[in-house]
Amino acid sequence: MAERESDRAASLNGPVRALMARADIRTLSLLGVLAALIVVGGITKPDEFLDTRNLQLVLTQGSVIGVVTVGMTFVIMSGGIDLSVGAIVALSSVWATTVATQEYGFAGILFTAVLVGVSCGLVNGLLIAYGGMVPFIATLAMLASARGLALQITDGATQIVTIGSVLDLGERDAYILGIPPLVLVFAVVTIIGWLILNRTTFGRRTVAVGGNAEAARLAGIDVRRQRLYLYLLSGLCCGIAAFLLIILSGSGQNTNGNLYELDAIAAAIIGGTLLSGGRGTIVGSVLGVLIFTTITNIFALNNLQSDVQQIAKGAIIVAAVLVQRRTASTT
C-alpha cells in the first residue's frame, strides 16, 4: 500500500515539477530580455537612460499599468478578458477629481476612485457571470459606456487636483529610500496578488475555472461567483491605478488610461499567461510590464514616434502568442 501511495505521489509530482521548471525557464527568459533592453538603453543613451531619475520614472510609469495588469492576469487566467480597464481607470480618475469629491480631501479622492472601479467591475461581473454575456462583449460595452460617462463628467476639460496631500506623494520629497510611493504601492499589490494566486483557495479556484470550467463546477466550485469576484478584483485594481495616475499627473482626464487594455493584456501574455486560461504567473506579468515600460522609455529617449512603439508592441504580442501555441503543442 505504501508503495502504491508513493507511486501515485510521484506520478502527480512529475507534471507539477515539469510545470514549475517551465515557469522558471520562462521567468529567466524574461529577465534575460529585460537585461538585454537595459543594455540597449545604456548603449544608445547612456547618460539619459542610466540616470537615477529616468530609472525612477520608468518604475513609476510602470506602476500604474502594473497594478491594472495584476487584475488582468487573474481575469485572463480564468478564461476571461477585460477590455474596459482603461476606460474604468479614466472614469475613476475623473469622478475622483471633481470639485465635489475634492472637498472631502485625500480620503474622498481615494475612496471614490476605488468605489467607481469596484462598481464597474461589479457590473462586468454580473453581466458575464449571471447575465451569460460573453466577456468580450460585456467589457466592450463597459469600455464605451465608461469613456462616454468620463467625457460627460469632464465635458472634455482637464480637472486639476488641488489637494496638497495627494500632490505631495508625487514629489521627490515623498520618496522612501529613493523609491517613489507609487512603486511601493505597486510592489504591495504585486505581493498580495502573488499570495492570493499561489497560497489561497481563491487562486486555485481561478486556475481551475480557467483550465476547465465544467470540471471545476463538478468539483463543487461556484464558477459564476468566482468569475464575479475576479471582475470585482479587476475593477479594484483599476480604481487603485486611477488614484496612482491622479498622483502622477495631478489631474483627472477622460483620456486617461488610453490603450491600457492593450498594455495589460500584452504584459500578461508576455509573462506567460495563456489567453485560453488555466495558466499564468504574477511575477511573469510584472516582468512583462517592466519590459514594455522599458521599451517605451528607450523609444522616447531615441525620439521614435508613438506609432512605431505601437507597431513594436503589436509585433511582440504576436510573437508571444505564437510561442505560447508552440509550447502548448509540444506539451
Side-chain angles (χ1 to χ4, degrees), residues 105-187:
F106 183 100
I109 294 177
L110 174 59
F111 177 77
T112 302
V114 172
L115 179 62
V116 173
V118 171
S119 299
C120 291
L122 176 63
V123 174
N124 280 337
L126 290 174
L127 291 175
I128 294 167
Y130 295 95
M133 292 187 67
V134 177
F136 181 91
I137 299 300
T139 58
L140 185 63
M142 175 59 72
L143 182 156
S145 301
R147 282 289 179 194
L149 184 55
L151 178 60
Q152 187 178 50
I153 291 174
T154 61
D155 196 23
T158 299
Q159 298 178 162
I160 304 300
V161 176
T162 58
I163 307 301
S165 56
V166 174
L167 298 175
D168 289 344
L169 290 177
E171 300 296 330
R172 296 189 63 82
D173 292 340
Y175 288 13
I176 301 175
L177 298 177
I179 303 175
L182 276 69
V183 178
L184 294 176
V185 173
F186 176 36

Side-chain angles (χ1 to χ4, degrees), residues 167-228:
L167 298 175
D168 289 344
L169 290 177
E171 300 296 330
R172 296 189 63 82
D173 292 340
Y175 288 13
I176 301 175
L177 298 177
I179 303 175
L182 276 69
V183 178
L184 294 176
V185 173
F186 176 36
V188 170
V189 171
T190 298
I191 293 171
I192 294 175
W194 185 91
L195 290 173
I196 292 175
L197 181 60
N198 296 280
R199 295 291 185 267
T200 67
T201 303
F202 183 88
R204 291 190 290 272
R205 287 176 177 173
T206 300
V207 175
V209 170
N212 190 321
E214 181 60 20
R217 186 187 67 81
L218 294 175
I221 298 175
D222 190 332
V223 175
R224 293 190 298 178
R225 185 171 61 186
Q226 183 69 17
R227 285 175 173 161
L228 173 62

Side-chain angles (χ1 to χ4, degrees), residues 13 17 37 45 51 69 89 104 114 126 185 233 273 329 331:
N13 287 333
R17 289 174 180 172
L37 288 173
K45 292 289 182 178
D51 183 72
T69 302
V89 169
Y104 294 93
V114 172
L126 290 174
V185 173
L233 177 60
T273 303
S329 64
T331 55

Side-chain angles (χ1 to χ4, degrees), residues 58-328:
V58 171
L59 292 175
T60 301
Q61 292 177 336
S63 297
V64 180
I65 186 60
V67 172
V68 175
T69 302
V70 170
M72 180 69 80
T73 300
F74 277 91
V75 171
I76 296 179
M77 283 187 65
S78 70
I81 197 73
D82 192 346
L83 300 179
S84 63
V85 291
I88 294 176
V89 169
L91 179 59
S92 298
S93 69
V94 300
W95 208 321
T97 53
T98 59
V99 175
T101 303
Q102 291 194 52
E103 290 180 355
Y104 294 93
F106 183 100
I109 294 177
L110 174 59
F111 177 77
T112 302
V114 172
L115 179 62
V116 173
V118 171
S119 299
C120 291
L122 176 63
V123 174
N124 280 337
L126 290 174
L127 291 175
I128 294 167
Y130 295 95
M133 292 187 67
V134 177
F136 181 91
I137 299 300
T139 58
L140 185 63
M142 175 59 72
L143 182 156
S145 301
R147 282 289 179 194
L149 184 55
L151 178 60
Q152 187 178 50
I153 291 174
T154 61
D155 196 23
T158 299
Q159 298 178 162
I160 304 300
V161 176
T162 58
I163 307 301
S165 56
V166 174
L167 298 175
D168 289 344
L169 290 177
E171 300 296 330
R172 296 189 63 82
D173 292 340
Y175 288 13
I176 301 175
L177 298 177
I179 303 175
L182 276 69
V183 178
L184 294 176
V185 173
F186 176 36
V188 170
V189 171
T190 298
I191 293 171
I192 294 175
W194 185 91
L195 290 173
I196 292 175
L197 181 60
N198 296 280
R199 295 291 185 267
T200 67
T201 303
F202 183 88
R204 291 190 290 272
R205 287 176 177 173
T206 300
V207 175
V209 170
N212 190 321
E214 181 60 20
R217 186 187 67 81
L218 294 175
I221 298 175
D222 190 332
V223 175
R224 293 190 298 178
R225 185 171 61 186
Q226 183 69 17
R227 285 175 173 161
L228 173 62
Y229 288 162
L230 288 167
Y231 281 95
L232 282 172
L233 177 60
S234 179
L236 172 62
C237 289
C238 288
I240 296 173
F243 182 71
L244 297 183
L245 192 58
I246 290 171
I247 295 174
L248 186 62
S249 64
S251 64
Q253 305 176 54
N254 66 284
T255 56
N256 281 343
N258 187 36
L259 295 180
Y260 271 21
E261 54 278 352
L262 170 64
D263 292 341
I265 293 172
I269 294 173
I270 292 298
T273 303
L274 287 180
L275 279 174
S276 56
R279 193 184 78 191
T281 65
I282 297 298
V283 173
S285 295
V286 169
L287 289 175
V289 169
L290 294 178
I291 288 172
F292 270 114
T293 307
T294 304
I295 290 174
T296 301
N297 183 258
I298 292 174
F299 281 8
L301 291 178
N302 285 276
N303 297 319
L304 294 177
Q305 298 180 355
S306 59
D307 55 348
V308 178
Q309 298 178 27
Q310 298 304 327
I311 292 172
K313 289 181 180 180
I316 293 173
I317 295 172
V318 171
V321 173
L322 290 176
V323 170
Q324 282 189 358
R325 294 188 61 177
R326 183 175 180 180
T327 303

